[in-house]
Amino acid sequence: MNAKPTFAPELFIPNGITDISFYEKAFGAIELRRFSNDDGTVHVSELSINGTIFHLHEQTQHSHAFSPAKLGATTVIIGLFVDDVHAVVKQAELAGAKIVSPIQDYDYGYRQATVIDPFGHQWQLQMVI
């Protein structure tokens, strides 16, 4: 089998989260499956944005991965190519994102903006211009 490699980032979120609707509202994500804890909080959620899969996973004490809120920083910015940066940034802001870097055209041919989601993950929304 020669499967094409794909990335499926796993974003860590704080424990006790039940509402992950930000991703649906901001980016049109669809939740494909969820594994909940006994109290109904999210353990793992698999989501798709236009066929691209990513996961949300609660922090566990046995993991060396932390949510940005726990770490106080992030080591990764998720790049998301979209058809209309202006529309998606507005949609993300209305859903609860904080704009870190406003929309700007760069000489390398991209229009980009960076937002932080409610769990501290940074998303670079971009398009080729």
Side-chain angles (χ1 to χ4, degrees), residues 80-101:
L80 181 63
F81 282 88
V82 298
D83 290 332
D84 183 345
V85 170
H86 291 277
V88 176
V89 167
K90 182 178 180 180
Q91 193 172 297
E93 190 174 26
L94 289 172
K98 177 183 163 193
I99 296 176
V100 176
S101 176

Side-chain angles (χ1 to χ4, degrees), residues 22-29 49-50 78-99 103 111-116 123-127:
F22 167 82
Y23 300 102
E24 296 169 358
K25 295 173 186 170
F27 307 132
I49 299 173
N50 234 10
I78 302 120
L80 181 63
F81 282 88
V82 298
D83 290 332
D84 183 345
V85 170
H86 291 277
V88 176
V89 167
K90 182 178 180 180
Q91 193 172 297
E93 190 174 26
L94 289 172
K98 177 183 163 193
I99 296 176
I103 300 168
R111 177 170 296 150
Q112 297 173 320
T114 304
V115 302
I116 297 179
W123 294 77
Q124 189 171 71
L125 306 171
Q126 50 199 354
M127 63 185 283

Side-chain angles (χ1 to χ4, degrees), residues 28-48:
I30 298 168
E31 187 173 44
L32 302 175
R33 66 190 68 164
R34 180 185 292 205
F35 300 94
S36 297
N37 298 311
D38 291 340
D39 64 359
T41 59
V42 175
H43 176 63
V44 175
S45 175
E46 183 176 83
L47 298 114
S48 171

Side-chain angles (χ1 to χ4, degrees), residues 4-12 32-33 44-49 51-57 76 78-79 123:
K4 180 180 174 184
T6 58
F7 284 94
E10 187 167 86
L11 309 179
F12 282 82
L32 302 175
R33 66 190 68 164
V44 175
S45 175
E46 183 176 83
L47 298 114
S48 171
I49 299 173
T52 300
I53 293 175
F54 70 103
H55 299 94
L56 300 178
H57 196 297
V76 173
I78 302 120
W123 294 77

